[in-house]
């Protein structure tokens, strides 16, 4: 166990409690999984006491019997005094509106950023379908807690949050949500942010993607468009096999969730009670980005509706995940896969993991939104992953030619 993990557990978990947690078996019903994303993160100051209780493994795992990915776990919602929204300004230092124009469309990407320090890395994130850039807000705070020089760039994908796409050749209902378009978007956001922040060169980058975002960041890493500045990439709770299998349940999930809410606070409460989000602060910062105000002419019960029409993206679902495992293993850079259950590993990833091709972390007590349910634990893992792949810390031996030239013993 690393020093970061030890210090985290020592600070937050008594030994007897930690040992009890290691022995605990997680009931099969305790799983919230909305494959194509939905919400938030964790704390600035509230909660995340549960982070230390999650279990992590880098050993070889075997798939367990499949669980119902979209079943909501039973249990009380997190306690708290307020379900009112939290402002993004408590989590990021700036917001950006990055414009890109082409013959096909004009796009204004909405992004949140906290720039890195002079020697710090930039964590560039991509959320899952239905979510927004605020999905990583509390994670960013926790990353900077453990690595103060780190920065984060988190943006709203097309069709999500406040990003605006104006097509010049298609109707709005025909928004291109193909993986190739999303991958191109993320590369554009990084380059446009570099221009907006007036960076002469990109800082070292760790790509982080959740669910659909995992497929996108894998495509970005494999493209090589960002050069050797990408030290590694981290995929959060998505693998090809289980993702494609779970798509059959997605329409049922969408049919059972509320069409809207009377207030943002009511939406936050629903996410906590349904345990779609398990952390209060996460819900308070991320849920507002999922909703938009659209009063009904004859009722106020659904004044806040979903920003993203997930059902309309169905034609693209399978294309997001086909070939993901192969691309994940083939792309250059350090590789981290974080899962909420061992049943999510498919055969190709199991073989790759046994061959040591990537780092595997399993947090059994998390739902699908690992980074939101356990932001501190996720942050510790990501900071360690960065340090392991940071080439600036490598000390190379002197060249033999230089030693001979300097009359040093070889």
């Amino acid at each position: 166990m690393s020093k970061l993990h030890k210090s985290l557990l020592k600070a937050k978990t008594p030994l007897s409690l930690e040992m009890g947690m290691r022995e605990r078996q997680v009931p099969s019903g305790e799983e919230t999984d909305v494959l194509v994303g939905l919400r938030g993160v964790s704390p600035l100051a509230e909660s995340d006491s549960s982070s230390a209780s999650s279990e992590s493994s880098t050993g070889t795992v075997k798939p367990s019997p499949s669980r119902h990915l979209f079943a909501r776990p039973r249990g009380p919602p997190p306690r708290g005094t307020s379900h009112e929204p939290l402002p993004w300004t408590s989590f990021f230092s700036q917001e950006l509106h990055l414009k890109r124009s082409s013959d096909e469309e004009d796009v204004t990407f909405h992004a949140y950023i906290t720039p890195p320090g002079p020697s710090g890395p930039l964590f560039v994130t991509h959320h899952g379908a239905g979510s927004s850039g605020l999905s990583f807000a509390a994670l960013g705070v926790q990353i900077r807690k453990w690595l103060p020089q780190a920065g984060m760039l988190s943006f709203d994908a097309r069709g999500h949050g406040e990003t605006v796409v104006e097509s010049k050749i298609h109707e709005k209902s025909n928004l291109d949500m193909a993986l190739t378009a999303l991958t191109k978007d993320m590369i554009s956001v990084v380059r446009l942010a570099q221009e907006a922040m007036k960076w002469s060169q990109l800082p070292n980058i760790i790509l982080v993607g959740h669910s659909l975002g995992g497929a996108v960041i894998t495509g970005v890493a494999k493209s090589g468009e960002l050069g050797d500045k990408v030290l590694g990439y981290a995929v959060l709770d998505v693998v090809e096999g289980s993702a494609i299998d779970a798509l059959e349940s997605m329409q049922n999930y969408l049919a059972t969730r509320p069409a809207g809410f009377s207030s943002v606070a009511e939406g936050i409460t629903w996410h906590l009670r349904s345990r779609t989000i398990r952390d209060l602060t996460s819900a308070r910062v991320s849920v507002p980005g999922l909703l938009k105000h659209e009063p009904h002419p004859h009722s106020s019960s659904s004044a806040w509706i979903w920003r993203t029409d997930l059902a309309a993206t169905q034609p693209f679902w399978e294309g997001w995940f086909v070939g993901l495992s192969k691309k994940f293993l083939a792309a250059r850079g350090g590789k981290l896969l974080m899962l909420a259950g061992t049943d999510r590993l498919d055969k190709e990833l199991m073989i790759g993991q046994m061959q040591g091709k990537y780092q595997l972390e399993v947090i059994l007590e998390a739902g699908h939104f690992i980074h939101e349910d356990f932001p501190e634990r996720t942050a510790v893992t990501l900071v360690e992953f960065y340090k392991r792949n940071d080439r600036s810390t490598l000390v190379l031996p002197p060249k033999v030619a230089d030693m001979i030239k300097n009359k040093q013993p070889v």
Side-chain angles (χ1 to χ4, degrees), residues 114-124 143-144 147-153 199 202-207 229 231 382-383 386-387 390 392:
T114 297
S119 60
L122 180 67
F123 289 82
V124 183
I143 286 175
R144 290 189 297 280
L147 189 64
Q149 290 294 308
M152 176 172 280
L153 172 63
W199 294 330
L202 288 172
N204 287 330
I205 289 173
I206 296 293
L207 301 173
K229 287 298 182 180
L231 303 182
L382 288 172
V383 169
Y386 157 70
K387 290 182 176 180
D390 180 15
S392 67

Side-chain angles (χ1 to χ4, degrees), residues 259-375:
F261 306 96
S262 61
S263 66
V264 175
E266 183 183 320
I268 292 170
T269 299
W270 178 83
H271 282 83
L272 292 169
R273 286 182 176 172
S274 66
R275 300 204 68 193
T276 300
I277 304 178
R278 305 180 183 194
D279 179 90
L280 176 60
T281 305
S282 296
R284 293 178 65 190
V285 66
S286 64
V287 171
L290 311 180
L291 306 173
K292 62 180 180 180
H293 191 248
E294 193 169 295
H296 192 280
H298 305 295
S299 172
S300 61
S301 60
S302 298
W304 292 87
I305 63 173
W306 305 104
R307 281 185 178 273
T308 303
D309 183 0
L310 281 176
T313 66
Q314 184 175 6
F316 303 98
W317 290 354
E318 190 168 343
W320 291 341
F321 305 110
V322 169
L324 174 58
S325 295
K326 186 175 183 179
K327 287 189 288 185
F328 173 76
L329 295 172
R332 295 184 62 183
K335 303 167 181 61
L336 169 64
L337 178 62
M338 294 191 69
L339 300 177
T342 59
D343 58 311
R344 289 163 169 77
L345 272 186
D346 57 26
K347 180 179 178 180
E348 196 161 8
L349 288 177
M350 281 192 66
I351 294 173
Q353 197 267 331
M354 288 187 286
Q355 293 174 338
K357 291 185 176 180
Y358 64 94
Q359 177 186 345
L360 174 65
E361 293 285 337
V362 181
I363 303 181
L364 293 176
E365 294 184 358
H368 179 49
F369 295 86
I370 297 175
H371 59 299
E372 304 176 8
D373 294 344
F374 295 93

Side-chain angles (χ1 to χ4, degrees), residues 39-325:
R39 42 262 12 89
V41 217
S42 173
L44 264 184
E46 296 175 78
S47 71
D48 197 35
S49 59
S50 59
S51 290
S53 69
S54 57
E55 201 161 304
S56 175
S57 171
T58 56
T60 301
V61 296
K62 297 181 180 180
S64 58
S66 180
R67 288 185 280 181
H68 299 291
L69 290 177
F70 296 102
R72 294 196 181 95
R74 295 178 292 274
R79 294 180 180 179
T81 58
S82 174
H83 288 182
E84 291 300 317
L86 292 173
W88 67 264
T89 51
S90 296
F91 299 83
F92 295 96
S93 64
Q94 299 173 240
E95 67 176 345
L96 302 174
H97 293 88
L98 308 169
K99 298 181 183 296
R100 186 190 73 195
S101 183
S102 68
D103 293 338
E104 295 80 24
E105 61 186 13
D106 292 328
V107 187
T108 301
F109 297 104
H110 180 243
Y112 305 92
I113 189 170
T114 297
S119 60
L122 180 67
F123 289 82
V124 183
T125 66
H126 196 296
H127 59 77
S131 194
S132 80
L134 291 174
S135 178
F136 295 92
L139 174 64
V141 170
Q142 293 298 329
I143 286 175
R144 290 189 297 280
K145 171 184 173 181
W146 293 97
L147 189 64
Q149 290 294 308
M152 176 172 280
L153 172 63
S154 188
F155 71 103
D156 301 334
R158 58 173 56 218
H160 296 71
E162 296 181 31
T163 287
V164 178
V165 179
E166 297 179 357
S167 176
K168 298 176 181 178
I169 57 177
H170 296 301
E171 297 294 330
K172 183 179 179 180
S173 58
N174 293 325
L175 182 64
D176 185 5
M177 291 294 294
L179 184 60
T180 51
L182 297 171
T183 302
K184 179 182 176 182
D185 286 351
M186 189 171 191
I187 295 169
S188 294
V189 166
V190 174
R191 290 301 185 184
L192 290 169
Q194 178 184 0
E195 182 180 337
M197 302 304 294
K198 295 180 170 57
W199 294 330
S200 59
Q201 62 179 5
L202 288 172
N204 287 330
I205 289 173
I206 296 293
L207 301 173
V208 183
H210 171 248
S211 198
L212 162 61
V216 176
I217 64 114
T218 299
V220 172
K222 194 170 190 306
S223 74
E225 290 288 336
L226 299 179
D228 59 4
K229 287 298 182 180
V230 177
L231 303 182
Y233 51 100
V235 172
L236 309 184
D237 208 48
V238 61
V239 297
E240 180 180 348
S242 59
I244 293 174
D245 290 343
L247 291 177
E248 298 177 3
S249 306
M250 190 59 189
Q251 288 291 2
N252 291 335
Y253 168 80
L254 296 177
T256 58
R257 71 175 183 173
F261 306 96
S262 61
S263 66
V264 175
E266 183 183 320
I268 292 170
T269 299
W270 178 83
H271 282 83
L272 292 169
R273 286 182 176 172
S274 66
R275 300 204 68 193
T276 300
I277 304 178
R278 305 180 183 194
D279 179 90
L280 176 60
T281 305
S282 296
R284 293 178 65 190
V285 66
S286 64
V287 171
L290 311 180
L291 306 173
K292 62 180 180 180
H293 191 248
E294 193 169 295
H296 192 280
H298 305 295
S299 172
S300 61
S301 60
S302 298
W304 292 87
I305 63 173
W306 305 104
R307 281 185 178 273
T308 303
D309 183 0
L310 281 176
T313 66
Q314 184 175 6
F316 303 98
W317 290 354
E318 190 168 343
W320 291 341
F321 305 110
V322 169
L324 174 58
S325 295

